[in-house]
Amino acid sequence: MSVQVTVICMLRPLEVPFRYLFGPGPSNVPPRVLAAGGRGIIGHLHPEMYEIMNDIKKGIQYAFQTQNNMTIAMSGSGHAAMECAVFNTVELGESVLVAVNGIWGERVAEIAERMGANVHIMVKAPGGVFSNGEIEKALAKHKPVLFFLTHGESSAGLAHPVDGIGDLCRKHNTLFLVDTVASLGASPIFMDQQNIDILYTGSQKALNAPPGTAPISFNERACQKMFNRKTKPVSYLFDMAHLSNYWGNDGQPARLYHHTGPVSGFFSLRESLAILAEKGLEESWRHHKEVAGYLWKGLEDMGLKLFIQNKDLRLPSVTTIAIPEGYNWREMLQYIMKHHNMEMTGGLGPSTGMVSVRGMLKF
Ligand code: PMP
C-alpha cells in the first residue's frame, strides 16, 4: 500500500521573497555569483571541475594571504570547517584551549568535547578581549595541542586582535586555529605573516556567496600534526587525508572519489573569490570600514549605543547595537522585518538579549 502524503503544497510554484539581509549571514548575493551557481552541472570529478577547484584554491590562498598547499573548500557550512579543523588536529584526550567571548568559542569547545578532547576554556563577557599575556599564561598552564580564537566574533560585533598570538603558540608547541567566518574580506587577516596554523571562513558572509561551502587552510605545522596521528579522525567526511586528495593537494597522480562535492556551490564560491581578487583585499577592507563608519555614525546620531565601544575593535562586517532599555528586541526585529523587509537578528548564545546584530549590503 502506498503511503498517503498530502502534496498539494508541492503543486504551487516556489516562492522566495526579496529580503535585505542585514543579519550576520547569509548576505545578499550579487547577480554575477547567483548566475555562476545557476550554470549547468558537470561531474565533480571532471577535469574542468578540477580546474575550477584549483582556481578556488588560489582564490582562498589570496583571501587568506597564505601560500599553504593544504588549502581547500569544505562541502558544508562554517561548522564543517570548525569540525574539520578540530577533528583532524586533535586526538582523543589531548588538551585543547578555547577562548570564549561569544557563541563561537562555546561552539568549538563543545565540538572538541564531543570528540573526547580535554577542553579548557578562557572566558570573557561577550565582546571581551584576551590579552596576549592572559593567553600565554593559559597556554603554559594547559599545554594544549590546539588554541582557538574567533577573529570576527559575530555574536558580539568584535574584531579580536591577532598579532603576536601565533608566536606564543609556536613557543608553547600549540597549533593556532582562527575563525574568520564573519570577518574574512572585511577585516585584515594575514595567515602566514601572523603565524596562524589553521584558518577557516564561510562562503555566505563578506564573500557574498550562497551558504554551503567553507574555505579552510592548514600550514606545514598543522599538516605535520594531522598527518602523523595514531588514530583516524572521528569523521570520514571531514578526514583531511581524503579531502587533500580530492583537492589535488597530496601529490598523488589521481584524485579518487571520496564524496560528491557541491558543484553549484563551488561555481558560486569561485565567482565570489574572483570578485574579491578583482577588487583587491585592501580595497575590500577599506570599503567595509568606510561603509561601517557611515552606519556607526548614523546609529549614534539616532541616539543608539553600539555594543563595542572601542571603534578599533569593532567588526566592520557585523555591527552590534546595545538593546535600548525598555524595548523588546524580538518585537523590534519583527517590526523591521514586517515593515521594511529587512533582516536583523538578536544576539546569539551569551549575547542573547544584549545586542541586535546588523550586517550590511555593500554592492
Ligand atoms: N563562526 C562565526 C564567527 C560565525 O559568524 C558563524 C555563522 N554565523 C559560524 C562560525 C558558523 O557558520 P555556519 O553557520 O556557516 O555553519
Side-chain angles (χ1 to χ4, degrees):
M1 207 178 88
S2 65
V3 176
Q4 295 298 305
V5 180
T6 310
V7 284
I8 298 280
C9 63
M10 298 311 298
L11 306 180
R12 290 197 308 264
L14 169 72
E15 274 180 37
V16 182
F18 177 78
R19 289 270 151 74
Y20 294 101
L21 297 179
F22 290 153
S27 43
N28 291 96
V29 176
R32 183 175 151 186
V33 176
L34 283 177
R39 302 287 285 267
I41 298 294
I42 57 171
H44 72 295
L45 299 176
H46 291 184
E48 296 83 357
M49 196 64 213
Y50 292 156
E51 195 76 17
I52 290 165
M53 290 163 79
N54 292 345
D55 293 347
I56 290 173
K57 181 173 160 181
K58 281 264 171 276
I60 299 171
Q61 285 174 326
Y62 171 66
F64 283 10
Q65 291 291 284
T66 183
Q67 297 195 329
N68 292 340
N69 170 51
M70 203 51 70
T71 299
I72 70 167
M74 301 297 298
S75 307
S77 76
H79 276 77
M82 289 157 102
E83 294 203 334
C84 176
V86 175
F87 290 170
N88 281 278
T89 56
V90 182
E91 291 194 71
L92 194 71
E94 285 184 329
S95 168
V96 171
L97 178 65
V98 180
V100 177
N101 56 350
I103 192 170
W104 303 110
E106 284 186 352
R107 194 57 62 88
V108 166
E110 175 162 356
I111 288 169
E113 215 169 84
R114 282 180 183 223
M115 62 134 289
N118 180 16
V119 180
H120 305 278
I121 55 173
M122 320 171 54
V123 184
K124 295 243 180 208
V129 173
F130 298 90
S131 72
N132 287 12
E134 288 169 323
I135 292 170
E136 173 149 42
K137 234 168 110 182
L139 290 172
K141 182 170 172 201
H142 301 298
K143 302 189 182 9
V145 296
L146 185 74
F147 170 59
F148 171 85
L149 181 75
T150 314
H151 177 233
E153 217 335 318
S154 51
S155 67
L158 176 80
H160 198 291
V162 169
D163 281 341
I165 302 173
D167 302 322
L168 296 176
C169 287
R170 282 187 181 204
K171 187 172 148 196
H172 291 272
N173 202 21
T174 299
L175 294 174
F176 185 30
L177 167 63
V178 178
D179 176 324
T180 62
V181 171
S183 56
L184 188 92
S187 185
I189 196 89
F190 301 91
M191 183 172 190
D192 288 357
Q193 227 169 292
Q194 291 173 315
N195 281 336
I196 298 168
D197 298 298
I198 310 142
L199 188 73
Y200 64 81
T201 192
S203 54
Q204 77 274 28
K205 311 265 179 170
L207 285 180
N208 290 131
T213 59
I216 186 166
S217 180
F218 298 82
N219 70 5
E220 255 323 295
R221 287 180 83 225
C223 289
Q224 278 300 325
K225 173 84 171 77
M226 73 181 174
F227 293 136
N228 290 296
R229 304 170 55 103
K230 291 184 222 59
T231 55
K232 288 182 179 176
V234 290
S235 167
Y236 187 87
L237 180 59
F238 296 158
D239 186 340
M240 279 304 292
H242 293 296
L243 292 174
S244 68
N245 174 266
Y246 180 41
W247 281 82
N249 292 347
D250 65 352
Q252 295 299 316
R255 302 193 195 188
L256 305 174
Y257 170 71
H258 167 246
H259 74 284
T260 306
V263 172
S264 313
F266 286 158
F267 292 166
S268 300
L269 178 63
R270 186 204 177 279
E271 207 63 10
S272 69
L273 288 164
I275 291 173
L276 182 63
E278 286 163 20
K279 186 169 185 161
L281 271 175
E282 267 94 11
E283 176 53 20
S284 184
W285 297 331
R286 191 205 59 74
H287 191 183
H288 276 88
K289 204 169 163 187
E290 181 183 88
V291 176
Y294 284 126
L295 174 63
W296 297 340
K297 180 165 182 333
L299 291 168
E300 284 174 333
D301 286 351
M302 287 167 71
L304 291 166
K305 284 206 170 47
L306 297 187
F307 186 66
I308 302 292
Q309 274 148 29
N310 182 346
K311 266 190 181 162
D312 296 333
L313 294 175
R314 283 185 198 149
L315 190 55
S317 45
V318 181
T319 295
T320 41
I321 305 160
I323 309 278
E325 207 148 312
Y327 286 84
N328 178 318
W329 62 273
R330 264 185 227 281
E331 279 175 11
M332 284 195 296
L333 300 186
Q334 280 163 2
Y335 180 92
I336 290 163
M337 175 71 96
K338 185 164 167 209
H339 295 278
H340 300 286
N341 233 356
M342 276 183 191
E343 181 204 41
M344 287 171 59
T345 64
L348 262 182
S351 65
T352 305
M354 295 168 90
V355 296
S356 76
V357 181
R358 189 189 195 292
M360 60 194 163
L361 190 68
K362 58 177 190 316
F363 49 83

